[in-house]
Amino acid sequence: QVRLVESGGGLVETGGSLRLSCSASGRAFRPETMSWHRQAPGAQRELVASIDKFGEPKYSDYVKGRFTVSRDNAKNMIFLQMNNLRPDDTAVYFCNSDVTFGGPMLHNYWGQGTQVTVSS
């Protein structure tokens, strides 16, 4: 079992910045691709950005150029630097990770989410 805990959410004005962190903990696991997702009220959860174990990032079109995803493999953490925030970025942001436990099978885990609110 792996636990993911997000932090860093909050209230910010349009154009402001926030940095989200997510820490993975558990026994004898290895994070593979880690990602950030978000879910606005009444909307489906959507992928924001992902980063593989080699550090290769991918972004959704609506955050490209504004958000930066990174990870610290030694600490089993993923980060999301969010700049130039807009009101439509308001959502609960969730951390997600594929992990392995010494074999080839991937297991997937979600964090509990952190609220990001951007005021206009």
Side-chain angles (χ1 to χ4, degrees):
Q1 191 75 7
V2 172
R3 184 178 181 219
L4 301 177
V5 179
E6 302 97 335
S7 61
L11 174 64
V12 65
E13 293 183 345
T14 296
S17 298
L18 283 174
R19 186 176 189 247
L20 305 183
S21 300
C22 173
S23 178
S25 61
R27 293 186 64 182
F29 74 101
R30 177 177 178 176
E32 301 290 330
T33 295
M34 304 182 79
S35 56
W36 289 98
H37 302 247
R38 68 186 185 187
Q39 188 167 18
Q44 289 189 332
R45 193 171 297 187
E46 59 186 10
L47 175 66
V48 174
S50 65
I51 184 166
D52 67 16
K53 61 184 177 181
F54 304 110
E56 185 70 25
K58 292 182 180 179
Y59 300 94
S60 64
D61 288 342
Y62 38 84
V63 304
K64 203 173 292 184
R66 300 188 298 124
F67 292 8
T68 302
V69 64
S70 60
R71 65 189 285 171
D72 183 333
N73 288 335
K75 297 181 179 179
N76 293 328
M77 295 187 71
I78 181 176
F79 307 96
L80 187 68
Q81 177 66 43
M82 304 185 294
N83 297 329
N84 193 21
L85 283 161
R86 308 184 305 220
D88 59 1
D89 293 316
T90 295
V92 178
Y93 283 71
F94 297 90
C95 174
N96 179 276
S97 183
D98 287 327
V99 306
T100 55
F101 294 98
M105 184 176 294
L106 289 176
H107 303 260
N108 189 262
Y109 294 92
W110 289 93
Q112 82 289 346
T114 185
Q115 177 70 47
V116 171
T117 302
V118 185
S119 63
S120 57

